[in-house]
């Protein structure tokens, strides 16, 4: 096994959130993580507000326009398993920087006239975000003794980025006097700014790179032999189904119930804003708890209130139902990401588990809007689609209940080769991380 690097001198004693670095360096690193997280949704959700102008200019059919919005989510699943192997070869830090570079390239491709490049850019951007989705939680796992608070900031930033992409794309275009292409292109500046902040702050991870082949049984998919990995995967997949299904159809559902069309998009934005609160709180609490089962139940209750209200009286206390759903989806997704971190004994295992869980989870989530749309067309209403989502809360909560127990995945010792070198960190065999959340 590779010897761990010797701890370097620090001007301050390492606190619960840092591993051997000054407070200022820790603050810069957290800022860089937040900057990366803010970039992981705008390039995707910014397409919806400009879709009408896009179709009028390009002549895309409804089916192809729908594919344009679904393609990045499919990429989230398809490219997630690539992230752990990339991290092994070039280091977590460099891999995250590469994902930002790819994201910038994808956004830039969409500025060019051919329609084919619009799809190619969306594919590249989706692949880039898929890598960051997996790599950032693993990086947080490695760099912070108690990752809950940082995971909360990371998850909340995902929601804020999504809300910004949905709410600001059109106003920015209007203020700048640009067309729909440049409206999408405005988010290129955010990606470049994050890259400029990330590279000097995060380091290169050169001492943690390895080209050694994985030992027998160390592949990411082999983790699914363990019930705990299957439960984490099922939880992230089923809660993603809830979010993407409702996010796709909420404005239409409310319009059919008599809510003004102009309010549908605002209410969806409200769900994302409230979701940021849930995303900030849930991981911070999860990191302090031996078992996260109370949080699993709290998320399920919030979903029950939100979906149940939309089923029983969508035009009544609409703000309450939408806010409850937003709190559930924000807290649920953040909790799912945090479970990946807490149930993994090392950062590499977190990347492997994240790759598998997000691959299957996002592929499942991409089917949600299609299934709900088919149910709506078949039943001429929203009662059956919402009822199906309510029933799906049962297996989601069951999977979360198992994933939230106080244990970690059992992995072969060779997995610690990549994880044994952070500044001031302990080896996995000696680390208290094996016993529970982040240093307990």
């Amino acid at each position: 096994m590779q010897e761990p690097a010797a701890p370097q001198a620090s001007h301050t004693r390492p606190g619960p959130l840092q591993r051997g670095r000054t407070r200022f360096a820790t603050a810069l690193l957290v800022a860089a993580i937040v900057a990366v997280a803010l970039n992981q949704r705008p390039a995707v959700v910014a397409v919806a507000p400009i879709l009408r102008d896009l179709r009028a200019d390009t002549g895309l059919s409804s089916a192809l326009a729908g594919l344009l919005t679904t393609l990045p989510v499919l990429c989230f699943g398809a490219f997630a398993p690539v992230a752990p192997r990339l991290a092994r070869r070039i280091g977590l830090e460099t891999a995250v920087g590469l994902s930002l570079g790819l994201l910038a390239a994808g956004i830039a491709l969409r500025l060019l006239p051919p329609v084919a490049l619009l799809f190619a850019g969306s594919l590249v951007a989706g692949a880039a975000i898929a890598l960051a989705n997996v790599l950032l939680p693993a990086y947080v796992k490695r760099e912070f003794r108690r990752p809950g608070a940082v995971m909360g900031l990371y998850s909340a930033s995902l929601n804020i980025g999504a809300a910004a992409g949905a709410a600001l794309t059109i106003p920015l275009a209007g203020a700048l006097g640009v067309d729909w292409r440049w409206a999408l292109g405005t988010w290129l500046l955010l990606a470049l700014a994050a890259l400029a902040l990330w590279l000097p702050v995060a380091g290169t991870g050169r001492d943690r790179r390895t080209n050694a082949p994985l030992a027998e049984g160390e592949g990411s998919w082999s983790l699914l032999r363990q019930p705990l990995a299957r439960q984490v995967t099922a939880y992230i997949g089923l809660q993603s189904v809830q979010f993407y299904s409702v996010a796709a159809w909420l404005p239409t559902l409310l319009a059919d119930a008599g809510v003004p069309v102009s309010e549908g998009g605002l209410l969806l934005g409200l769900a994302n804003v409230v979701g940021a609160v849930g995303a900030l709180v849930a991981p911070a609490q999860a990191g302090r708890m031996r078992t996260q089962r109370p949080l699993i139940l709290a998320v399920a209750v919030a979903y029950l209130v939100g979906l149940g209200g939309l089923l029983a009286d969508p035009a009544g206390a609409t703000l309450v139902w939408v806010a409850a759903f937003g709190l559930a989806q924000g807290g649920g997704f953040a909790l799912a990401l945090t479970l990946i971190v807490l149930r993994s004994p090392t950062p590499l295992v977190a990347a492997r588990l994240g790759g598998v869980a997000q691959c299957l989870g996002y592929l499942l989530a991409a089917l949600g809007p299609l299934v709900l749309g088919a149910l709506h067309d078949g039943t001429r209403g929203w009662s059956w689609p919402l009822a199906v989502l309510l029933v799906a809360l049962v297996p989601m909560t069951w999977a979360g209940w198992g994933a939230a127990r106080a244990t970690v995945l059992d992995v072969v010792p060779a997995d610690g080769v990549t994880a044994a070198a952070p500044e001031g960190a302990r080896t996995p065999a000696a680390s208290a991380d094996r016993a529970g959340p982040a240093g307990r």
Side-chain angles (χ1 to χ4, degrees):
M1 180 178 291
Q2 178 180 333
E3 289 295 323
Q8 296 183 5
S10 172
H11 295 295
T12 62
R13 184 179 179 181
L17 290 181
Q18 63 187 85
R19 290 190 184 273
R21 63 173 66 88
T22 66
R23 292 184 184 277
F24 179 70
T26 299
L28 278 179
L29 183 57
V30 171
I33 291 169
V34 168
V36 176
L38 288 172
N39 275 278
Q40 289 180 239
R41 294 298 179 267
V44 177
V45 301
V47 174
I50 54 89
L51 205 53
R52 179 177 296 179
D53 291 341
L54 184 154
R55 290 186 61 199
D57 187 30
T58 62
L60 283 183
S61 65
S62 296
L64 286 177
L67 177 62
L68 192 62
T69 59
T70 306
L71 185 60
V73 181
L74 293 173
C75 288
F76 290 176
F79 289 94
V82 177
R85 293 185 179 274
L86 184 65
R88 277 174 56 86
R89 289 187 175 275
I90 67 175
L92 272 172
E93 297 91 334
T94 307
V96 173
L98 176 62
S99 75
L100 287 170
L102 287 174
L103 176 61
I107 296 173
L109 277 176
R110 299 197 296 196
L111 293 173
L112 302 178
V115 174
L117 292 182
L118 186 63
F119 285 89
S122 296
L123 189 149
V124 172
I129 295 169
L131 297 178
N133 282 341
V134 175
L135 296 171
L136 255 296
Y139 183 79
V140 171
K141 167 76 174 178
R142 195 191 71 197
E143 294 298 317
F144 296 90
R145 295 188 185 279
R146 296 181 183 175
V150 181
M151 284 300 298
L153 287 171
Y154 166 73
S155 304
S157 299
L158 292 179
N159 282 77
I160 293 171
L168 299 181
T169 300
I170 294 296
L172 280 174
L176 297 173
V178 296
D179 64 6
W180 63 268
R181 285 189 185 275
W182 286 99
L184 293 177
T186 55
W187 299 107
L188 175 61
L189 298 176
L190 186 63
L192 294 175
L195 182 61
L197 178 60
W198 178 263
L199 291 179
V201 169
T204 65
R206 185 177 294 108
D207 57 340
R208 302 179 185 97
R209 300 173 189 173
T210 177
N211 290 321
L214 287 170
E216 184 68 25
E218 278 196 76
S220 297
W221 295 100
S222 67
L223 294 176
L224 292 180
R225 297 171 187 166
Q226 301 183 49
L228 180 60
R230 295 196 296 270
Q231 289 161 345
V232 171
T233 299
Y235 188 70
I236 194 171
L238 289 170
Q239 66 80 31
S240 294
V241 166
Q242 297 283 350
F243 170 66
Y244 283 102
S245 298
V246 176
W249 292 108
L250 181 63
T252 304
L253 183 157
L254 294 177
D256 290 349
V259 176
V261 175
S262 60
E263 294 182 11
L266 293 176
L267 288 167
L268 184 57
L270 172 67
N272 279 299
V273 172
V274 176
V277 177
L280 184 63
V281 173
Q285 293 301 314
R288 299 188 182 101
M289 304 168 75
R290 179 171 174 78
T291 171
Q292 292 74 40
R293 285 175 171 174
L295 295 176
I296 296 293
L297 292 179
V299 168
V301 169
Y303 267 125
L304 190 62
V305 172
L307 295 173
L310 289 173
L311 175 61
D313 187 16
T318 308
L319 282 175
V320 175
W321 315 142
V322 171
F325 172 78
L327 190 65
Q329 62 86 12
F333 181 68
L335 182 57
L337 292 180
T338 305
L339 288 175
I340 291 173
V341 171
L342 298 181
R343 299 291 84 89
S344 302
T346 71
L348 179 58
V349 175
R352 288 167 56 193
L353 179 58
V356 169
Q358 294 191 50
C359 173
L360 297 178
Y362 281 119
L363 291 177
L364 181 63
L367 296 176
L370 300 178
V371 172
L372 250 67
L375 281 172
H376 174 260
D377 289 344
T379 61
R380 304 288 183 180
W382 292 105
S383 295
W384 275 103
L386 288 170
V388 166
L389 290 180
L390 283 167
V391 170
L393 291 177
V394 176
M396 184 193 84
T397 304
W398 175 84
W401 189 263
R405 65 186 187 273
T407 186
V408 295
L409 290 167
D410 183 22
V411 294
V412 295
D415 194 276
V417 170
T418 311
E423 293 180 9
R426 295 160 289 179
T427 61
S431 175
D433 284 353
R434 279 193 174 277
R440 287 191 177 185

